[in-house]
Amino acid sequence: MKIDLTDTTASKINKALVKGRREIGTPAVGMVLTMVIVTDEENAYDSIKAAEEASREHPSRTLVVIRRVARTPRDRTNSRLDAEVRVGSDAGTGETVVLRTYGDVSDHADSVVLPLLLPDAPVVVWWPVDAPEIPVKDPLGALAQRRITDMYAVENPLRALAARAAAYAPGDTDLAWTRLTPWRSMLAAALDQARTKVTSAAVESEAENPSAELLARWLEARLKVPVERVVTAGPVVTAVRLGTKTGEIVIDRPEGPLATLSLPGQPSRTLALKVRSTSELIAEELRRLDADEMYAVALRGEGTKENPSHV
């Protein structure tokens, strides 16, 4: 069910949500969080689709904020809020409200979003593109327990990585880090099997890949060894090599959904290591709403007091 509202207010949007739930017989109590997506018109469709797919695992109210730019000086002085309310099958397993802001309303989107947040429920803000320099100080970011950005969406990912490290606050995370979860799990499992001290390491990837840089920094912090960055044709991260006294531990994925794991003295084996969709990445981030300490370690390359032989 869809309800279109033109030149509206947050109060009228809330009434439309209540009306929509009553008509289709869907209660709001089953929703566990509010997700706020701040995007542009170009990326709105894909972002909404990813959020709706993720909502099947995490029923939520999704508020999509699209700041519209007026074409004429006269129109820029006019403040307006348009909304599209989606409930039922048109909104995954939750509710979706698409908010299009014009004029001064765009500069105060938090005042529109605040009345629409689910009471006593966590708030997650996701910027698919054009994330603020300091997410926690953004008016919408300040409302959230978790703030999700994506360095893959910027022109200079490594410069963005430096900015994220300088501006990090507990609750920040980035999908460039989330994409590494299968790699981190496999590396930890490989080291548990090998039970040997790592003396060198290398990460192979396409140039300027933010996930590869985060992975290299994480390995440096956890293993206390320098990590060589090796540029390949890609796509994304293609291999990780860990040198030990007994031989090399290698996870190699030149392309496709499969990787090869090689351990010293053992036959090579094939493992599933596909590139996951955005909806899968978002769903993973919504499983935990506390601060991601390992992301902070990877950003800053900080060491830990734990055993350096294991990841």
Side-chain angles (χ1 to χ4, degrees), residues 12 25 44 54 61-62 75 91 93 118 137 144-145 150 156 168 174 186 204-205 208 217 233 238 245 251 258:
K12 292 178 181 178
R61 174 175 290 178
T62 302
D75 289 339
T93 59
L118 289 171
K137 291 187 178 181
Q145 283 74 40
D150 192 354
N156 192 325
Y168 174 80
D174 195 281
M186 287 187 182
E204 301 179 3
S205 76
E208 301 288 312
R217 294 186 185 189
T238 55
K245 293 180 180 179
I251 297 179
L258 300 178

Side-chain angles (χ1 to χ4, degrees), residues 121-136:
V123 178
V124 177
V125 177
W126 172 32
W127 292 271
V129 294
D130 299 328
E133 195 75 14
I134 306 178
V136 73

Side-chain angles (χ1 to χ4, degrees), residues 52-133:
E52 289 179 352
E53 289 176 358
S55 76
R56 302 186 189 283
E57 182 177 337
H58 309 276
S60 58
R61 174 175 290 178
T62 302
L63 306 177
V64 185
V65 180
I66 303 174
R67 294 184 173 98
R68 297 296 300 267
V69 178
R71 296 183 178 181
T72 66
R74 181 180 177 180
D75 289 339
R76 293 189 192 107
T77 62
N78 296 328
S79 296
R80 194 175 90 233
L81 171 65
D82 295 342
E84 179 184 313
V85 177
R86 306 178 185 178
V87 294
S89 60
D90 290 312
T93 59
E95 301 171 338
T96 299
V97 181
V98 181
L99 304 166
R100 290 182 171 86
T101 62
Y102 301 79
D104 290 341
V105 179
S106 296
D107 297 327
H108 304 282
D110 55 311
S111 65
V112 176
V113 167
L114 189 58
L116 300 176
L117 301 179
L118 289 171
D120 303 319
V123 178
V124 177
V125 177
W126 172 32
W127 292 271
V129 294
D130 299 328
E133 195 75 14

Side-chain angles (χ1 to χ4, degrees), residues 35 124-127 146-150 173 175 282 285:
M35 165 164 273
V124 177
V125 177
W126 172 32
W127 292 271
R146 290 299 297 271
R147 295 165 294 276
I148 304 172
T149 54
D150 192 354
T173 193
L175 295 186
I282 292 297
E285 284 300 330

